[in-house]
Amino acid sequence: MDQKNIRNFSIIAHIDHGKSTLADRILEMTDTVEKREMKDQILDSMDLERERGITIKLNAVQLVYHAKDGQDYLFHLIDTPGHVDFTYEVSRSLAACDGAVLVVDAAQGVQAQTLANVYLALDNDLEILPVLNKIDLPSAQPDVVKQEIEDLIGLDCSDAVEISAKSGLNVDQVLEEIVKRLPAPKGNRNKPLQALVFDSLYDPYRGVIAFVSIKNGTVKKGDRIRFMATGAEYEVTEVGVRTPKEVVEEQLNTGDVGWISAAIKNIEDVRVGDTITKADEPADQPLEGYKEMQPMVYAGLYPVDNARYEDLKDALAKLKLNDASLQFEPETSQALGFGFRCGFLGLLHMDVIEERLEREYNLNLIATSPSVIYKVYRTDGTVEDVDNPAALPPAQNIDHIEEPYVRAEIMVPKEYVGAIMDLCQKKRGEYIDMQVLDDVRMNLVYEMPLSEIIFDFFDKMKSSTKGYASFDYSFSRYKRSNLVKMDILLNGQVIDALSIIVHKDFAYNRGNAMTIKLKELIPKQQFEIPVQAAIGGKVIARTNIKALRKNVLAKCYGGDISRKKKLLEKQKEGKKRMKMVGSVEIPQEAFMAVLSMD
Ligand code: GTP
């Protein structure tokens, strides 16, 4: 296909504004997917995405559109996630595109991630095509929302298409606008190959598959390619595209978005953001890569069965191919044994990684409670980054501690401003600014400790505004705080994996809440277990888990051996995510107790 007839674009939107639904309609209307194969959110290919109804991974698909001008156009559509934790995926997709379709819910208007995603698109110099969705809803106000887009984003909306992605109304106009208003890829197929690696995955049979956007040149089977950052060289075994089924092609040309397979077994050779070129005719320079994402939260991941440590290591390395923002390094815990300290972009990201490790790699894991990175200033003048509460030096060696603060921007209808201010105050937020967005909404700006945001801020914000508030945050600076380490003792023993760092003013309350929660979560055992919270050796809260009286086998009246076996089997299953720590058996939930307090 002629390069001028190619359009590479992403669909961007705030969460739930209808990206995936629009992508479904586009695939349907271009006959990319046969009717009988069509299912909702077809690009959300992971089970996890379909179950949760959210997009986690970006997804690229090639389709052909017969335009009203009589010509055929080749579209590469890249679906992207909307949740703030997956912004990294969005920024990578955008670097592979020339334009973006911005979907805004005509009933909800511009939201925090609408803005965040538009800024990402502008950073990547993309042409933006605004589209108003859900106009079938009685509460839709397309004209008001158009004005809002013009005022807040500065995009001309006079030609913005009003659609219902659900019913398909006017989606054909979106396709026409993509042809008319979005640019064709600019590269040159006669130049040396420059292919941007925007994603990758590990296939047990074919090795690493690199997903690429061809910015210059061409690539085909048999070519010798070089990864410019790592210097690794391979011979291409296959190239192709996704439609969304995998299709093998003769050659990928400038402007194509597809995949390259080269029997790559060494995972470290492939890095998302790297440029692939040809070994015998290399490009002078790599393409501009992506900026490294700094994880926001850290937690320990440990196999329930210590013997599976190597499997976990292998799984993390493979998963990192498909999720470049994941970071990990080995750590040990007295309580949990050998595991990894992992860095995540947020709690949803952490949850998704843990679940993918369990599902895709058949692992059984214990995750410890998430922590941010603290800067610890020691009395001897040295400074140290601490991402694990258990690793905090003894109090007498600490001069002071700094914690990360974020700038949080919350868009909220006027009637909920009071509720949000209340919530921010409770979370140690400091008021910065407030702007009027339009007749009904305000934008509140607070500086808040990241540690308070990552826990339950999002849920609390949603529930105190009936779901009408949206927010975005970015790191602002480190600030000195009055923080202390709180240890948890079970049966008189400190359990390192349960230690947390808390603000001194909250310590007593959190200590109390934590011991009560643990009492609820840790099953009764054969003996009584004292649960204590302590700061610097001083106990500040205490409760007891009473001893178990009944034995499960007591119900079996002695005789029936198969029933006995069944019961024991059942009990074993229930124990799956339990870890024996000293003489006490601790379930996964207990390590996360800190998340469900207050
Ligand atoms: P994420 O992938 O989680 O970021 O969300 P998304 O932006 O892809 O939204 P999705 O397509 O999953 O749509 C969210 C919800 O809005 C779904 O329940 C859709 O059925 C619904 N929806 C999408 N488009 C329309 C529309 O035109 N009208 C109405 N009434 N509902 C719509």
Side-chain angles (χ1 to χ4, degrees):
M1 180 103 36
D2 203 336
Q3 194 174 319
K4 74 176 192 338
N5 282 20
I6 300 181
R7 297 290 180 274
N8 293 338
F9 63 96
S10 227
I11 305 181
I12 54 175
H14 186 71
I15 195 156
D16 276 350
H17 281 197
K19 281 181 309 289
S20 304
T21 311
L22 177 60
D24 285 354
R25 284 304 85 72
I26 291 179
L27 295 186
E28 234 172 55
M29 293 171 76
T30 51
D31 297 323
T32 307
V33 182
E34 284 178 41
K35 272 270 177 329
R36 64 186 164 80
E37 286 176 3
M38 194 65 205
K39 46 188 178 181
D40 283 353
Q41 310 206 324
I42 191 153
L43 292 181
D44 288 347
S45 50
M46 258 194 275
D47 286 347
L48 200 59
E49 295 181 306
R50 309 185 67 85
E51 280 163 29
R52 296 192 183 196
I54 55 168
T55 307
I56 294 166
K57 278 298 298 173
L58 60 88
N59 238 318
V61 46
Q62 185 183 72
L63 48 106
V64 176
Y65 172 57
H66 311 283
K68 298 208 169 114
D69 64 7
Q71 297 189 43
D72 277 355
Y73 288 84
L74 193 65
F75 285 1
H76 295 110
L77 183 170
I78 304 183
D79 190 24
T80 58
H83 192 279
V84 58
D85 275 17
F86 303 117
T87 305
Y88 189 55
E89 292 281 322
V90 181
S91 67
R92 295 200 342 250
S93 326
L94 295 183
C97 298
D98 308 291
V101 175
L102 171 68
V103 176
V104 183
D105 184 326
Q108 289 204 350
V110 173
Q111 298 288 330
Q113 260 76 52
T114 314
L115 286 177
N117 287 329
V118 165
Y119 294 143
L120 285 176
L122 292 175
D123 279 350
N124 282 286
D125 290 329
L126 301 192
E127 192 68 37
I128 301 175
L129 192 69
V131 167
L132 290 119
N133 189 27
K134 306 200 189 183
I135 56 159
D136 57 294
L137 291 177
S139 54
Q141 295 183 296
D143 290 332
V144 173
V145 174
K146 276 186 199 173
Q147 191 59 48
E148 209 174 79
I149 298 175
E150 297 202 341
D151 293 347
L152 295 178
I153 303 177
L155 277 180
D156 176 15
C157 280
S158 45
D159 296 329
V161 187
E162 298 175 15
I163 66 165
S164 166
K166 202 171 182 176
S167 73
L169 178 74
N170 294 341
V171 173
D172 54 335
Q173 288 181 32
V174 176
L175 294 168
E176 281 296 308
E177 289 287 306
I178 289 170
V179 166
K180 284 192 206 130
R181 305 228 342 238
L182 298 187
K186 288 180 202 68
N188 183 344
R189 60 178 291 164
N190 298 318
K191 278 194 179 169
L193 174 69
Q194 281 180 310
L196 177 69
V197 181
F198 65 89
D199 199 8
S200 58
L201 63 79
Y202 187 82
D203 180 299
Y205 303 105
R206 298 180 297 168
V208 181
I209 311 284
F211 293 95
V212 293
S213 169
I214 312 287
K215 298 291 188 185
N216 281 304
T218 60
V219 61
K220 61 178 187 313
K221 181 177 168 176
D223 283 346
R224 193 148 184 89
I225 51 166
R226 178 185 300 154
F227 288 84
M228 293 184 84
T230 58
E233 291 188 9
Y234 289 93
E235 189 179 305
V236 176
T237 49
E238 252 177 3
V239 299
V241 296
R242 283 187 161 180
T243 69
K245 266 192 240 131
E246 208 174 273
V247 177
V248 176
E249 297 274 349
E250 275 296 300
Q251 177 167 309
L252 293 179
N253 299 315
T254 298
D256 278 340
V257 176
W259 50 269
I260 297 177
S261 149
I264 303 167
K265 295 289 180 216
N266 188 10
I267 292 172
E268 278 82 42
D269 288 344
V270 184
R271 283 195 206 138
V272 165
D274 195 3
T275 302
I276 297 179
T277 192
K278 282 189 195 164
D280 48 7
E281 195 201 348
D284 299 339
Q285 288 210 352
L287 298 158
E288 200 180 319
Y290 306 102
K291 60 172 193 273
E292 284 261 322
M293 279 300 278
Q294 271 316 313
M296 290 278 196
V297 286
Y298 289 79
L301 287 182
Y302 292 83
V304 169
D305 175 1
N306 288 336
R308 300 211 53 197
Y309 172 80
E310 286 296 328
D311 293 339
L312 174 58
K313 185 174 169 185
D314 186 52
L316 281 166
K318 286 178 179 161
L319 197 56
K320 187 175 167 62
L321 275 177
N322 200 231
D323 189 334
S325 54
L326 170 67
Q327 293 192 0
F328 60 94
E329 57 181 58
E331 91 170 354
T332 43
S333 149
Q334 276 168 0
L336 300 175
F338 292 101
F340 291 89
R341 176 113 312 226
C342 303
F344 307 97
L345 301 179
L347 282 196
L348 180 61
H349 185 217
M350 168 169 169
D351 209 29
V352 163
I353 292 286
E354 199 189 335
E355 205 158 332
R356 288 188 71 184
L357 286 168
E358 299 210 326
R359 286 187 190 205
E360 295 169 29
Y361 299 91
N362 197 20
L363 288 160
N364 215 340
L365 301 172
I366 295 279
T368 65
S369 88
S371 161
V372 298
I373 295 193
Y374 296 96
K375 287 206 180 295
V376 179
Y377 291 77
R378 286 179 178 256
T379 44
D380 64 8
T382 56
V383 190
E384 168 181 7
D385 282 352
V386 173
D387 61 17
N388 179 356
L392 202 69
Q396 66 270 21
N397 296 346
I398 299 176
D399 182 66
H400 68 276
I401 303 177
E402 287 181 355
E403 67 177 324
Y405 269 65
V406 295
R407 180 186 164 91
E409 303 213 12
I410 304 152
M411 290 186 164
V412 61
K414 280 182 179 149
E415 64 262 44
Y416 299 114
V417 165
I420 289 293
M421 288 184 131
D422 238 23
L423 175 62
C424 290
Q425 229 111 51
K426 272 196 200 126
K427 297 284 185 187
R428 299 193 280 132
E430 286 160 32
Y431 173 85
I432 305 274
D433 195 11
M434 176 155 65
Q435 298 124 8
V436 180
L437 289 177
D438 51 36
D439 293 349
V440 286
R441 289 193 306 165
M442 310 285 278
N443 188 42
L444 287 174
V445 186
Y446 269 83
E447 196 172 55
M448 303 181 72
L450 175 62
S451 64
E452 301 289 340
I453 291 257
I454 56 171
F455 289 156
D456 54 358
F457 182 78
F458 191 70
D459 294 341
K460 285 242 159 70
M461 179 193 81
K462 286 280 174 195
S463 63
S464 57
T465 61
K466 298 210 176 82
Y468 282 117
S470 65
F471 97 125
D472 192 34
Y473 64 84
S474 54
F475 172 76
S476 76
R477 60 186 168 134
Y478 269 86
K479 263 178 77 168
R480 187 171 173 156
S481 280
N482 201 352
L483 301 166
V484 289
K485 175 171 142 196
M486 186 167 82
D487 288 320
I488 299 294
L489 293 80
L490 294 180
N491 221 5
Q493 269 203 330
V494 174
I495 308 295
D496 61 356
L498 286 173
S499 297
I500 53 172
I501 291 175
V502 289
H503 194 267
K504 212 163 187 177
D505 295 349
F506 294 178
Y508 182 74
N509 278 345
R510 294 232 163 131
N512 244 331
M514 183 92 171
T515 49
I516 292 170
K517 194 82 202 172
L518 286 172
K519 179 180 174 175
E520 231 174 87
L521 293 172
I522 298 177
K524 289 182 179 171
Q525 314 202 359
Q526 304 294 345
F527 47 91
E528 186 173 85
I529 309 165
V531 183
Q532 296 162 304
I535 291 173
K538 189 169 153 250
V539 174
I540 57 161
R542 155 173 194 143
T543 164
N544 284 322
I545 300 169
K546 295 245 155 50
L548 185 73
R549 289 224 206 100
K550 266 192 206 133
N551 176 324
V552 285
L553 297 182
K555 279 190 193 151
C556 296
Y557 314 111
D560 185 351
I561 186 74
S562 70
R563 180 167 154 69
K564 223 184 237 179
K565 261 198 192 140
K566 241 188 214 158
L567 261 175
L568 284 172
E569 211 50 51
K570 226 182 183 169
Q571 209 186 30
K572 213 161 106 196
E573 224 164 75
K575 271 186 194 163
K576 258 187 164 173
R577 286 176 60 151
M578 294 258 198
K579 190 92 184 175
M580 200 67 191
V581 178
S583 51
V584 183
E585 202 158 45
I586 310 178
Q588 161 70 73
E589 298 76 45
F591 294 99
M592 291 291 164
V594 65
L595 296 184
S596 48
M597 291 184 320
D598 295 337

